[in-house]
């Protein structure tokens, strides 16, 4: 019986199928099937009932599950206490929102590679709603998103927020009329978009033109070109303001700051993922003070 077989067994149990376990472990479905078959042959028992409802644990499988979880816990303890970080091999599936990708993500990747040189990082940039679903479906290991995620199975490391500010082109304009321009902001199906939309409609009526975008860098460029105004993170807009490409203005209100979290599933416990979340907090704190 090998550690890989135990990990595969637990993945199939937790994800309720070979397909999702294969995706989570970055293996093919036949490889998962072979590992389970070899484990059953080693133990000389059937661990799963295969049927139309998927793979269901047998009584022997239920018995093995308890021991497998204990074995997994001890393995994590050894990794945390004994193995040097630069000797840890692994695969981190990292999901981040675009605000993070446009700010301190490069610093996070650099720190992770410095601590875990053998770590393979798979990156996915998407809106927070999608990242939340991917995490709960175990399609990613660590999600840095608008959070925290209110689920009993999820651990959240709360990160520093991003203050929002209003931006317009630097060309002369009457600030009193700026709110009549199209408003560029976050993509649909995101919390910032919903909040901005509600506040705009409340103050100016439903005739306001909203241009949602999944690209914050595109929003800044469109503002620079005078094609609209935008409410976006101040830390990301600083470079554009400092170089005179755009300017801030104050309509008398702005949405609440964006709150982010580094979120991951509490089970199975992973020293590497927990460390990555703590590094994300350290990097975010450093960036927010810069």
């Amino acid at each position: 019986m090998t550690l890989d077989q135990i990990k595969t067994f637990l993945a199939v149990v937790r994800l309720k199928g070979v397909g999702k376990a294969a995706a989570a472990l970055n293996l093919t479905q036949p490889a998962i099937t072979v590992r389970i078959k070899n484990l059953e042959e080693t133990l000389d028992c059937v661990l799963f009932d295969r049927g139309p409802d998927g793979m269901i644990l047998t009584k022997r499988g239920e018995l093995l599950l308890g021991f497998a979880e204990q074995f997994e816990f001890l393995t994590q303890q050894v990794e945390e206490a004994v193995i040097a970080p630069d000797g840890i091999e692994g695969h981190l599936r990292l999901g981040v929102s675009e605000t993070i990708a446009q700010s301190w993500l490069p610093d996070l990747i650099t720190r992770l590679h410095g601590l875990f040189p053998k770590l393979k990082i798979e990156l996915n940039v998407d809106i927070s709603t999608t990242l939340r679903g991917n995490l709960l479906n175990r399609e990613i290991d660590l999600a840095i998103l608008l959070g925290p995620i209110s689920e009993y199975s999820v651990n959240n490391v709360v990160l520093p927020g991003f203050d929002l500010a209003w931006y317009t082109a630097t060309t002369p304009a009457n600030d009193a009329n700026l709110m009549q321009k199209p408003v560029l902001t976050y993509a649909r199906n995101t919390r910032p978009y919903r909040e901005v939309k509600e506040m705009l409609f409340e103050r100016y009526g439903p005739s306001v033109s909203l241009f949602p975008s999944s690209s914050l860098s595109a929003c800044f460029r469109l503002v620079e070109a005078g094609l609209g105004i935008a409410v976006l993170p101040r830390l990301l807009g600083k470079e554009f303001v400092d170089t005179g490409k755009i300017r801030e203005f104050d309509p008398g209100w702005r949405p609440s700051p964006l709150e982010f979290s580094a979120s991951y599933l509490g089970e199975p416990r992973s020293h590497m993922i927990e460390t990555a979340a703590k590094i994300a907090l350290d990097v975010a704190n450093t960036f927010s003070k810069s």
Side-chain angles (χ1 to χ4, degrees):
M1 185 167 56
T2 67
L3 177 58
D4 284 340
Q5 289 173 344
I6 292 296
K7 287 182 176 179
T8 302
F9 169 75
L10 287 170
V12 172
V13 172
R14 288 166 176 160
L15 299 175
K16 299 179 174 59
V18 169
K20 289 185 177 181
L25 297 176
N26 200 30
L27 296 170
T28 64
Q29 292 191 33
I32 297 292
T33 302
V34 168
R35 284 187 181 181
I36 295 298
K37 181 179 179 182
N38 289 342
L39 180 60
E40 290 179 323
E41 290 177 352
T42 299
L43 298 175
D44 193 24
C45 67
V46 176
L47 299 173
F48 293 96
D49 285 328
R50 283 85 166 171
D53 296 328
M55 300 180 70
I56 301 173
L57 283 173
T58 62
K59 289 184 178 180
R60 292 285 183 178
E62 291 281 0
L63 184 61
L64 175 62
L65 178 60
F67 288 109
E69 290 175 335
Q70 294 178 44
F71 192 72
E72 178 186 60
F73 175 77
L74 290 174
T75 301
Q76 289 297 330
Q77 292 292 99
V78 170
E79 181 177 293
E80 183 173 351
V82 179
I83 302 176
D86 58 3
I88 293 178
E89 298 184 24
H91 178 215
L92 176 65
R93 298 169 301 165
L94 177 62
V96 302
S97 69
E98 205 209 337
T99 303
I100 305 303
Q102 293 284 342
S103 53
W104 48 262
L105 176 63
D107 295 335
L108 173 61
I109 299 297
T110 300
R111 288 278 301 275
L112 288 174
H113 276 154
L115 185 61
F116 303 113
K118 298 180 180 180
L119 181 65
K120 296 180 180 179
I121 299 176
E122 177 184 333
L123 181 64
N124 178 27
V125 179
D126 213 323
I127 63 174
S128 293
T129 304
T130 301
L131 295 176
R132 179 184 183 279
N134 289 345
L135 180 67
L136 295 177
N137 289 330
R138 297 181 185 268
E139 296 171 10
I140 57 177
D141 304 308
L142 177 63
I144 303 178
L145 74 175
L146 287 166
I149 296 176
S150 180
E151 289 282 344
Y152 78 95
S153 60
V154 176
N155 292 334
N156 297 287
V157 176
V158 177
L159 305 175
F162 285 77
D163 286 332
L164 296 175
W166 285 97
Y167 295 101
T168 184
T170 55
T171 53
N174 182 355
D175 283 9
N177 297 324
L178 284 177
M179 300 309 297
Q180 298 175 10
K181 288 190 171 186
V183 177
L184 304 157
T185 190
Y186 279 77
R188 295 182 189 275
N189 302 321
T190 64
R191 193 167 66 214
Y193 171 83
R194 185 183 71 245
E195 183 176 351
V196 169
K197 179 181 177 181
E198 290 175 354
M199 295 179 82
L200 284 169
F201 280 17
E202 179 181 328
R203 287 166 172 78
Y204 308 105
S207 61
V208 173
S209 296
L210 265 171
F211 284 10
S213 174
S214 59
S215 172
L216 300 185
S217 58
C219 287
F220 281 114
R221 297 299 182 189
L222 292 171
V223 170
E224 181 183 352
L227 298 178
I229 60 175
V231 55
L232 297 168
R234 175 171 278 126
L235 279 173
L236 299 187
K238 185 177 184 301
E239 178 183 349
F240 293 90
V241 172
D242 289 347
T243 55
K245 296 178 179 179
I246 62 176
R247 66 181 177 87
E248 285 192 32
F249 74 97
D250 183 9
W253 65 277
R254 62 181 176 178
S256 58
L258 304 180
E259 302 294 339
F260 286 86
S261 66
S263 302
Y264 57 94
L265 293 172
E267 186 183 79
R269 185 173 175 231
S270 168
H271 169 60
M272 183 265 291
I273 295 174
E274 290 177 3
T275 301
K278 292 176 182 177
I279 292 174
L281 174 59
D282 187 42
V283 171
N285 279 327
T286 299
F287 184 85
S288 67
K289 295 173 183 176
S290 61

